[in-house]
Amino acid sequence: MKPYPWPDGARSVVLLTVNFDAESFDLKDTSPERLFGRYSYGRYGVRAGLPRLLDLFARHGVPATFFVPGDDARRHSALVREIAASGHEIAARGLAMENFATLGDKEMEVLRTSQAILADVTGHAPQGFRAPGGELSPRTLGHLTDMGFLYDASFQDADYPYVYALQGGKTLVELPSVFALDDGPIYAARHTHARLRAIWEDEIRAAHAEGILIPITMHLRGDFGSTRAARIAVLDGLLALLKQLGGVRFMTCAQLATHALSLGLPTQPDPYLAHADTLAHAVYRGDLSVKPL
Amino acid sequence: MGQRTTLPEDMRCVVLIGIDFDGPSHEVGRGIAPLGKHSWGNYSARCGVPRHMEMLASHGVPATFFIPGYDAERHPDTIAQIDRNGFEVAAHGYLHEAWELQPDEEEQLLRKTDDILQDIVGKPVLGWRSPSGRKSERTMAVLRSMGYIYDSSDKDYDRPYRLRFGKGAEDFIVELPNNTYSLDDFPFYKFSYTPPSEVLAQWKSEFDAIYGVDRFFVFSLHPRAGWGSGTPSRTHALSEMIKYMKSHDGVRFMDYRGFAQWCLQHGDNLEEVSFA
């Protein structure tokens, strides 16, 4: 297949993305006065995990993009400012891990409020968005363009960035990722960090060989995130590997989205429209699951 | 107890590579918009199918693409390309119906998808694989009435056989049973998140156990991202698997259509069963 035109003749681009998902994630299941015990894994990410992760990125001199739920940004505004001051990008992720597929009329308000909080905390409006849980409604992309966002990073359907042309001639860059390079599903399946290392090494080497995007997704949390000491050591080794491979460029999401937009490549239509009529008549059956024995 | 279908001595192992296209039909059929993390079906036409065709061509091995009619309607150029590249186009439901269907509804969908695929490739479709493996005796009668010669959905045997569903001379179909539990990429990549290198090792040991014994290796694969083999690491694992199988004597890579025709021509080699 034809190689994607990465900037400056790079062979491949790495996006290091971090889903902040601290207390806002635990609060999906409990109330603020019960953020202790099993509901304190989010706080681990902030207290113990974040310093360790920032230190790792600094040692390697690589930029990352942090997707921060608005409520977490308000709770930890000094830390979010520190992340931004370290040269990383801060991007939007709703307010409180809302499911955008079912927010209905509140969607725009949640996006606006989260945008305002991040602008207030960091001094800049966020340019990108990643949907909590990877769930979007048919209107989400349109809302993002209306509000001046540059990119979305929620889809899993391509090896390279592409550009949506939406209603009204507005464009939105899509930076697709892949679950195989997301620590969440792997650690949630209770794999060891050695196994994550094996999976990511397979993925990274093959992606680099073909010169496609290498979109890495990490979580801060102490349960399915990557910030425990032993897991940070795995990331350390993988960052070293990425640098050894040659021709790899680390970028923030906004930098890559800006590059993608500048290429003027053919655009993709609204991803919902081709299916709208069929979905209007489809029975909701939920995600495919396997029956336990 | 031995299994009665026998393949000749020089066929040490027949390898059938089946790729279930599974574009957005899989989600749309379940009422889920193919957005965000549900978008990975779009990967099939965009990246996975071209990558698989390129990899297969580099080894010079045939394969069969089982395609839901809905995906074919939205990606006719990709389907035509699959056919032009010499790969087989076969049927795989309309909206990847992974649920129980009433017989009349099922028949209507089988015929609809058949029409869509034939319109694109301009030749008869000869085989079907059930999306999710649901089927009935009635299904086979409908397939046969449409001129299909094989089905690859049953899980009850290690070897091909003739599955009789009626008393008439033509009331049978060649059954090419598959294994969606351990010779499929889906369980490893959707549920256990097994590293591709371990999946490759698993498939090699499956092949070792089949080679020269049951002699019939049926692969069920997917070109999507997420739980398929469309991405580079997983296509690489497939490529290594094909290399491994090719390094053995007497391995015959065929498309399903070609092997089903062989089965029709060598009726004496095939066990015939009826469960009516």
Side-chain angles (χ1 to χ4, degrees), chain A residues 52-290:
Chain A
R52 206 178 260 140
L53 191 63
L54 288 177
D55 174 61
L56 174 77
F57 292 157
R59 277 192 281 119
H60 284 274
V62 289
T65 304
F66 285 72
F67 293 91
V68 189
D71 285 0
D72 282 337
R74 206 154 17 199
R75 232 175 256 125
H76 306 291
S77 53
L79 285 177
V80 172
R81 266 192 296 278
E82 188 190 324
I83 297 171
S86 307
H88 304 299
E89 179 189 345
I90 304 295
R93 193 159 164 80
L95 282 174
M97 299 301 292
E98 298 86 357
N99 179 341
F100 275 71
T102 55
L103 262 185
D105 293 342
K106 290 202 211 107
E107 205 179 316
M108 192 75 168
E109 187 193 323
V110 167
L111 284 172
R112 272 197 201 293
T113 311
S114 69
Q115 189 183 37
I117 292 170
L118 295 183
D120 185 43
V121 169
T122 67
H124 309 280
Q127 291 180 274
F129 170 78
R130 173 175 283 165
E135 300 276 3
L136 287 81
S137 88
R139 293 190 292 177
T140 311
L141 298 180
H143 289 329
L144 291 172
T145 57
D146 288 345
M147 294 169 58
F149 277 90
L150 169 67
Y151 72 89
D152 169 71
S154 310
F155 282 60
Q156 302 201 18
D157 58 358
D159 287 330
Y160 37 78
Y162 60 89
V163 179
Y164 281 124
L166 302 169
Q167 263 190 332
K170 291 186 176 166
T171 55
L172 186 72
V173 178
E174 178 58 43
L175 301 175
S177 57
V178 53
F179 269 167
L181 280 173
D182 184 332
D183 59 2
I186 296 169
Y187 286 137
R190 306 307 198 268
H191 281 313
T192 59
H193 56 260
R195 217 115 180 262
L196 179 132
R197 157 114 206 178
I199 296 170
W200 284 19
E201 195 169 333
D202 284 353
E203 295 295 328
I204 286 168
R205 286 186 185 280
H208 178 263
E210 290 200 23
I212 66 167
L213 180 65
I214 306 179
I216 295 180
T217 303
M218 293 155 279
H219 292 78
L220 272 191
R221 302 175 54 78
D223 42 14
F224 57 80
S226 278
T227 62
R228 297 271 174 190
R231 294 177 179 184
I232 287 281
V234 166
L235 293 183
D236 195 7
L238 289 164
L239 287 175
L241 168 70
L242 279 163
K243 289 169 155 178
Q244 282 162 16
L245 289 174
V248 169
R249 179 150 177 184
F250 292 83
M251 298 176 86
T252 65
C253 289
Q255 286 167 346
L256 180 59
T258 303
H259 170 75
L261 202 55
S262 75
L263 294 172
L265 294 173
T267 55
Q268 299 293 317
D270 185 311
Y272 181 73
L273 292 183
H275 308 288
D277 290 345
T278 311
L279 284 163
H281 301 103
V283 178
Y284 179 74
R285 294 171 194 274
D287 203 359
L288 190 71
S289 60
V290 156

Side-chain angles (χ1 to χ4, degrees), chain A residues 1 133-135 154-157 159-160 179 185 191 195 199 202-203 206 210 268 275 278 283-286 290, chain B residues 30 34 36-40 42-43 46-47 51 54 70 74 99 190-193 195-198 232-233:
Chain A
M1 288 187 289
E135 300 276 3
S154 310
F155 282 60
Q156 302 201 18
D157 58 358
D159 287 330
Y160 37 78
F179 269 167
H191 281 313
R195 217 115 180 262
I199 296 170
D202 284 353
E203 295 295 328
E210 290 200 23
Q268 299 293 317
H275 308 288
T278 311
V283 178
Y284 179 74
R285 294 171 194 274
V290 156
Chain B
R30 307 185 72 79
K37 73 171 176 188
H38 304 293
S39 66
W40 40 27
N42 296 332
Y43 192 89
R46 196 175 269 155
C47 303
R51 180 173 286 121
E54 203 170 289
Y70 182 85
R74 274 144 196 86
W99 54 88
K190 167 126 179 143
F191 296 107
S192 59
Y193 287 93
S197 49
E198 280 184 37
S233 59

